[in-house]
Amino acid sequence: MANRRAPFKQGRKGGKKQPYMSKDMKKKLKKELANRPPKTKYQRSLKHIERGQEAIQAQKRQIEAERKYRQTANSSTIGYASSDSDESDGDGAEAKGTFEDLAAEFNDQIGQVIDSESDESDESAMDSEAEEMVDEEELEGDELEEPEELEQMEESDGGPEASNSEDDDAEEAETADEESDEDEALLPDEEDLSSDEDEETSNDPYLLHTAHNLSPAMVEALAAEPPRIESSTMSFGSLGNVYVELPKCRNTGSNRSSDAKGIFAKERYAKPGTLPTVPEVSDEDTIDWTELHVKDRIVRNMTEEMDALQRDTFAILNGYQDLHYPQRSFENADRLRYVYCLHALNHVLKAVSKIQHHTIKLTTNKAAGKKKPAEDQFRRRLKEKKQVKVGEEPAVGDEFRDQGFVRPKVLIVVPFRESALQCVTILKRLFAGEQEKSVMNWKRFTEEYGGGSSLHFPRRNPKPADYERTFAGNIDDNFRLGIAFNRSTMKLYAKYYSSDVIIASPLGLRMAIGAKGEKHRDYDFLASIELLIIDQAEVCYAQNWDHVLHVMEHLHHQPKSTEYTEFSRVREWCLNGWSKFYRQTVLLSAFELPEFRWLFNKHFHNYRGKVRSCKRTLTGTIKHVVVRVPQNFQRVETTTLDGAGAARFSHFLNVVLPQARTVSMARCMIYVPSYFDFIRLRNHFKKEELSFTQICEYTTDAKIARARDMFYHGSKHFLLYSERAHYFRRHRIRGVRHLILYAPPVFPHFYPELVNLMMKEHQNPHDGVDDESMTVTVLYTAYDTYQLAEMVGAPRAKAMIKAPRSVHRFTTDQK
């Protein structure tokens, strides 16, 4: 028993006993410490706080010992002195007062005051022990409470929650450079600290849009099926004619509820949306960004002058109204991207500045509330029961409700990494200018999202110009990128719940959300999206439109976990489940589609209203057909949208296919826009054992080459060709004599491209067929209005749908 090791070993003098640890246990502990995340600024300062408090305690014990010695000396002197000697009593009091003055002066320098009223040594010892217990409790309380209060600032400062475990050494070096500016990064801009502007009277569109709740009449109008709206058409500068929808509710002229009584009469409701105002700025005048409430940090980095299209688009976006612009093109793509990145960054910086401003206020108020009177510093803490009084304000007032359930505020959906690279480049230029050090992980981002195109563009038989511009750069369609902003840095590759902006592809979001029935799903990071931007919607449609719909269905759900939620700071309209009414949605596409219009009608719920640019095509893409060939448009009669597919298939089998099976219709290519219709026709052709070959988006290169060769040499009568195969590969199918479009193409410029494949240089000179026997047949229904208008023009499309005859023929001379 004497040789048995003690389970505890004595630490340094005055310290606590430490448990015995073997070498293996020490190695294991070192590994655990090495795997821990880096300490935050607050955790690093705890060691200095503890040392300072130990020094204070030592000084207090020394002064207490001197005070006891002084009291003992005074009592012994009083025993020998005469009781009626006023002079000696006065000297003793003066000496005692002098000592207490020195003690008080000394303790004032170290921030403490000694209670000198206690005379008993036992009581002073109890007070000292109680004081140490109180200090330990306060320290533990600070350790628990401070990280929660400063969590938002630590995330914006690039702390462990905002860091990515996959960051390389270059990122760590950039992080080390930023640590020197931590104190500065924790503070918002000076204009935010000095400005105490009342949100109710502010003209900032951000505050007007987010500061107040909706009135009961507004909620009733928005939640109705269908929503009660007022629609109007107006001319809006370079956007042309726009269609505006505003919610229709009672008491639109008043900002307060007339039926409210009592305390509810003081509530201010959000102002309903109004018609957008066209900016009146000439080419010579400059834009006053202060009146538009754009952050100064952005304004000083803006080097480009905005044209009329950008000004008109920004006027609608800055008014926080939804926008659908179906006239995006390669020429205006960069200008539109610049505008929505400017608006997104302005929105994020306003939100971050407001949150940091309120966080500092709350932290300051809490620190001031913890201060105790000087005479109560060394007394035992008494647990007092707080009585809740009626009308007493909570610890965090409603004015500090400035967040959603989670931190991500902006979601930008783009189809390719190249598009994400261009968006981040604009955000970087607007936020940091030429200072690349303010952007963390920029080198890693350019390596992963940059680079040349993975497709080969042949020079001998070049692809169309629109194909090369669409698929230029990195065309990977599975990515997700989080971006966090604070006062001085822009951090790329931030975690979802530590990000302010998320840029992702539809497939990347679908992979992150997961499908129904999967065990591990996570879509809480979409619960508080305030700004949704879908760019290049037509490319997303070609990839898989179901991914976009899947994302829209998982927006603004109640989070399953409250790990990243501070409910005392969550806005009331977010708690009420009205987030979708505050979300601003922007949809940019090259043309109109029923799917885009359905998304605009069913998922754009902004209470400020929504704006749609009216695109009216007069001539259509048929004017680009150069082959002299008759073009027959046959209308398929149907009464319902659900029955349109069956009616089209029946018309094709009974009317079109019997003629196409004849020998005179050899080398007939059937173009099918929908993959489901493609599978339906393929199964029927296999069942009837027709002579055909097929090319779809899933066909391998070897099978594609074999199918093209058989069709060109006439060994196969039919060629089934899907639209997505043509979009992603853009093959030049040679030998086409007869073209049947099972439905109007979704991409309108494909129509002249397919018809022009029937030119003489693309034909087999050994087939012996007359060129004048070539035909083009297009099947359409009354529900193909948008596609038909893009092909032949809006006036002709309207006449073809309403005409009593169901067959219309066009030739090249009639275009």
Side-chain angles (χ1 to χ4, degrees):
M1 295 297 291
N3 296 330
R4 185 177 181 181
R5 290 187 177 181
F8 293 91
K9 65 178 181 179
Q10 184 67 25
R12 62 180 181 180
K13 186 175 182 181
K16 297 181 179 179
K17 293 183 177 180
Q18 300 178 0
Y20 171 76
M21 298 180 65
S22 63
K23 292 184 178 180
D24 295 337
M25 296 172 65
K26 289 181 180 179
K27 290 182 181 179
K28 186 176 180 181
L29 180 61
K30 287 182 179 180
K31 289 184 180 179
E32 293 178 355
L33 294 176
N35 294 331
R36 289 184 181 179
K39 293 184 178 180
T40 62
K41 180 184 175 183
Y42 177 75
Q43 292 173 344
R44 291 195 299 269
S45 62
L46 282 180
K47 186 181 296 183
H48 302 286
I49 295 175
E50 293 175 356
R51 291 178 180 175
Q53 291 205 358
E54 290 178 0
I56 292 172
Q57 296 296 332
Q59 292 173 355
K60 287 192 299 183
R61 287 193 294 268
Q62 181 180 358
I63 293 174
E64 186 68 20
E66 293 179 359
R67 186 179 66 83
K68 292 179 182 180
Y69 175 77
R70 183 66 180 179
Q71 288 178 354
T72 306
N74 289 340
S75 62
S76 60
T77 304
I78 291 172
Y80 292 100
S82 177
S83 60
D84 55 350
S85 177
D86 298 335
E87 191 173 356
S88 63
D89 291 339
D91 294 337
E94 183 178 357
K96 182 178 180 181
T98 303
F99 176 79
E100 296 298 332
D101 292 339
L102 292 174
E105 182 179 358
F106 179 79
N107 284 278
D108 287 338
Q109 296 177 0
I110 63 174
Q112 304 290 337
V113 177
I114 298 298
D115 185 5
S116 60
E117 296 178 358
S118 177
D119 293 333
E120 298 180 5
S121 60
D122 296 337
E123 185 178 353
S124 64
M126 293 175 60
D127 290 341
S128 178
E129 294 176 0
E131 170 196 298
E132 294 178 0
M133 293 173 61
V134 168
D135 291 338
E136 291 177 0
E137 291 175 1
E138 289 180 355
L139 183 59
E140 293 175 358
D142 291 341
E143 292 178 358
L144 295 176
E145 295 172 1
E146 279 298 319
E148 294 179 359
E149 296 172 359
L150 300 179
E151 178 182 359
Q152 186 70 26
M153 291 185 288
E154 288 179 0
E155 289 176 358
S156 62
D157 194 32
E161 293 183 2
S163 62
N164 197 325
S165 59
E166 298 178 357
D167 293 348
D168 51 10
D169 297 337
E171 177 192 353
E172 295 177 359
E174 293 177 359
T175 308
D177 294 337
E178 295 297 332
E179 286 182 357
S180 59
D181 298 333
E182 282 183 349
D183 296 335
E184 182 182 5
L186 289 175
L187 298 175
D189 296 337
E190 293 180 0
E191 59 184 7
D192 297 324
L193 288 174
S194 59
S195 112
D196 229 358
E197 187 178 12
D198 187 9
E199 294 183 356
E200 298 179 354
T201 59
S202 174
N203 293 325
D204 190 348
Y206 170 76
L207 295 179
L208 293 177
H209 181 66
T210 61
H212 306 292
N213 294 328
L214 299 178
S215 63
M218 178 68 72
V219 176
E220 183 180 355
L222 293 171
E225 287 293 341
R228 294 195 295 267
I229 58 174
E230 295 177 346
S231 58
S232 59
T233 305
M234 59 180 294
S235 178
F236 202 86
S238 59
L239 297 182
N241 294 330
V242 297
Y243 181 78
V244 184
E245 294 183 4
L246 300 176
K248 182 180 180 181
C249 58
R250 302 187 305 271
N251 302 328
T252 56
S254 175
N255 197 27
R256 299 178 185 270
S257 175
S258 59
D259 301 334
K261 297 180 181 179
I263 60 175
F264 297 102
K266 298 181 180 180
E267 183 176 1
R268 295 181 62 89
Y269 295 123
K271 294 181 180 180
T274 58
L275 293 177
T277 304
V278 182
E280 298 179 357
V281 180
S282 62
D283 296 337
E284 299 178 357
D285 298 337
T286 58
I287 301 176
D288 188 358
W289 295 106
T290 305
E291 294 183 358
L292 297 177
H293 300 277
V294 179
K295 301 287 287 185
D296 293 338
R297 183 186 184 92
I298 301 177
V299 174
R300 61 174 174 259
N301 293 325
M302 295 176 63
T303 57
E304 303 177 4
E305 294 184 0
M306 300 182 69
D307 57 9
L309 176 63
Q310 291 176 317
R311 289 196 301 266
D312 296 339
T313 306
F314 185 77
I316 296 177
L317 297 184
N318 198 40
Y320 282 90
Q321 292 182 319
D322 294 346
L323 175 63
H324 177 205
Y325 185 70
Q327 303 180 43
R328 183 189 184 278
S329 62
F330 293 108
E331 288 72 23
N332 60 19
D334 294 335
R335 293 180 289 163
L336 293 174
R337 186 181 295 112
Y338 183 85
V339 171
Y340 71 69
C341 288
L342 168 63
H343 175 60
L345 181 61
N346 189 40
H347 176 84
V348 169
L349 292 185
K350 287 179 181 179
V352 171
S353 298
K354 182 64 65 177
I355 291 172
Q356 291 182 351
H357 186 198
H358 287 169
T359 302
I360 292 175
K361 273 189 174 182
L362 292 174
T363 306
T364 306
N365 295 341
K366 187 171 183 180
K370 283 186 177 182
K371 290 183 179 179
K372 303 177 184 178
E375 62 274 8
D376 293 340
Q377 284 290 331
F378 299 111
R379 293 183 180 177
R380 186 184 298 273
R381 177 184 296 177
L382 299 178
K383 295 183 179 179
E384 299 179 358
K385 296 182 179 179
K386 295 183 179 180
Q387 297 180 357
V388 180
K389 299 180 181 180
V390 179
E392 184 180 2
E393 294 184 359
V396 179
D398 293 340
E399 67 274 10
F400 295 107
R401 293 186 176 272
D402 49 16
Q403 303 176 16
F405 287 115
V406 290
R407 183 172 174 178
K409 309 170 186 63
V410 178
L411 176 62
I412 301 178
V413 181
V414 288
F416 301 124
R417 284 181 181 256
E418 176 66 21
S419 305
L421 173 64
Q422 297 177 7
C423 290
V424 176
T425 303
I426 295 176
L427 292 174
K428 169 184 172 292
R429 187 168 71 249
L430 292 176
F431 179 81
E434 301 298 331
Q435 301 176 0
E436 290 190 3
K437 291 184 178 180
S438 300
V439 182
M440 303 176 63
N441 304 327
W442 175 251
K443 182 178 179 181
R444 172 188 172 189
F445 172 76
T446 54
E447 291 176 356
E448 295 185 3
Y449 284 75
S453 177
S454 58
L455 295 180
H456 173 66
F457 300 129
R459 297 295 93 187
R460 184 176 180 180
N461 294 317
K463 301 285 186 180
D466 65 287
Y467 179 82
E468 294 187 1
R469 299 182 68 175
T470 300
F471 295 97
N474 193 335
I475 60 171
D476 181 21
D477 61 349
N478 186 5
F479 63 91
R480 299 174 295 274
L481 177 67
I483 307 176
F485 291 90
N486 62 12
R487 185 189 174 204
S488 59
T489 58
M490 169 182 172
K491 180 178 176 60
L492 305 178
Y493 294 98
K495 293 183 179 180
Y496 291 158
Y497 295 96
S498 301
S499 304
D500 296 298
V501 179
I502 295 177
I503 303 179
S505 64
L507 177 60
L509 291 173
R510 181 68 179 265
M511 297 291 288
I513 294 172
K516 186 176 180 180
E518 293 183 1
K519 184 176 181 181
H520 300 288
R521 302 185 64 194
D522 185 15
Y523 46 85
D524 289 349
F525 62 93
L526 301 175
S528 300
I529 296 297
E530 301 171 2
L531 176 58
L532 172 63
I533 301 172
I534 304 176
D535 195 7
Q536 296 176 269
E538 70 281 358
V539 183
C540 298
Y541 180 85
Q543 290 175 343
N544 196 333
W545 189 246
D546 288 340
H547 294 340
V548 178
L549 299 180
H550 190 75
V551 174
M552 300 299 296
E553 292 173 357
H554 288 82
L555 289 173
H556 307 300
H557 285 264
Q558 184 177 356
K560 296 181 179 180
S561 174
T562 60
E563 180 181 359
Y564 305 97
T565 306
E566 187 177 355
F567 286 98
S568 61
R569 303 283 295 275
V570 178
R571 297 186 179 98
E572 288 189 4
W573 49 262
C574 191
L575 295 173
N576 293 335
W578 298 341
S579 298
K580 64 179 181 180
F581 300 139
Y582 285 81
R583 186 191 72 233
Q584 183 185 20
T585 311
V586 181
L587 179 65
L588 304 178
S589 62
F591 43 81
E592 279 273 23
L593 275 183
E595 288 78 5
F596 300 160
R597 184 65 64 85
W598 181 86
L599 195 70
F600 178 82
N601 294 332
K602 297 298 181 181
H603 289 279
F604 286 33
H605 303 290
N606 194 348
Y607 81 91
R608 301 284 296 178
K610 49 187 178 180
V611 181
R612 174 173 55 83
S613 176
C614 301
K615 182 179 181 181
R616 183 174 177 81
T617 306
L618 297 179
T619 56
T621 58
I622 194 174
K623 63 181 180 180
H624 298 295
V625 177
V626 297
V627 180
R628 297 179 60 87
V629 57
Q631 305 164 47
N632 300 318
F633 288 77
Q634 299 182 14
R635 187 177 65 214
V636 179
E637 301 297 339
T638 179
T639 57
T640 61
L641 179 61
D642 296 337
R648 193 191 308 270
F649 183 70
S650 177
H651 181 86
F652 177 81
L653 295 184
N654 299 328
V655 178
V656 179
L657 188 58
Q659 299 177 3
R661 296 178 65 174
T662 60
V663 179
S664 60
M665 292 283 289
R667 293 184 176 86
C668 178
M669 185 174 75
I670 303 176
Y671 180 84
V672 187
S674 173
Y675 183 71
F676 300 102
D677 292 334
F678 180 88
I679 297 299
R680 194 174 192 176
L681 290 177
R682 186 194 65 182
N683 294 340
H684 178 76
F685 280 25
K686 286 183 177 180
K687 182 180 178 181
E688 296 294 329
E689 297 181 354
L690 299 179
S691 175
F692 79 101
T693 186
Q694 58 177 328
I695 297 177
C696 69
E697 58 269 28
Y698 304 109
T699 308
T700 60
D701 294 340
K703 291 184 177 181
I704 290 176
R706 184 167 177 264
R708 295 176 62 183
D709 182 75
M710 289 189 297
F711 182 74
Y712 178 76
H713 291 93
S715 58
K716 295 294 182 181
H717 188 90
F718 291 103
L719 171 63
L720 290 180
Y721 191 39
S722 69
E723 185 175 60
R724 292 183 66 189
H726 187 69
Y727 180 83
F728 288 106
R729 297 177 181 269
R730 207 64 66 89
H731 293 298
R732 290 186 179 181
I733 307 298
R734 303 176 61 191
V736 179
R737 287 289 182 176
H738 304 277
L739 177 63
I740 298 176
L741 281 78
Y742 189 76
V746 173
F747 295 86
H749 60 280
F750 284 178
Y751 178 74
E753 188 174 318
L754 293 170
V755 177
N756 291 334
L757 290 177
M758 305 170 69
M759 299 175 66
K760 188 173 183 179
E761 56 264 24
H762 296 153
Q763 302 298 327
N764 189 348
H766 304 290
D767 58 3
V769 181
D770 189 7
D771 295 340
E772 296 182 356
S773 63
M774 296 187 297
T775 60
V776 175
T777 304
V778 183
L779 304 182
Y780 71 94
T781 66
Y783 300 99
D784 298 327
T785 307
Y786 299 119
Q787 299 92 315
L788 200 62
E790 294 287 345
M791 291 171 55
V792 301
R796 284 181 179 177
K798 186 177 181 180
M800 291 168 61
I801 290 176
K802 295 184 177 181
R805 57 192 179 97
S806 59
V807 179
H808 302 267
R809 173 172 293 186
F810 298 94
T811 60
T812 306
D813 298 335
Q814 296 178 354
K815 299 194 304 291

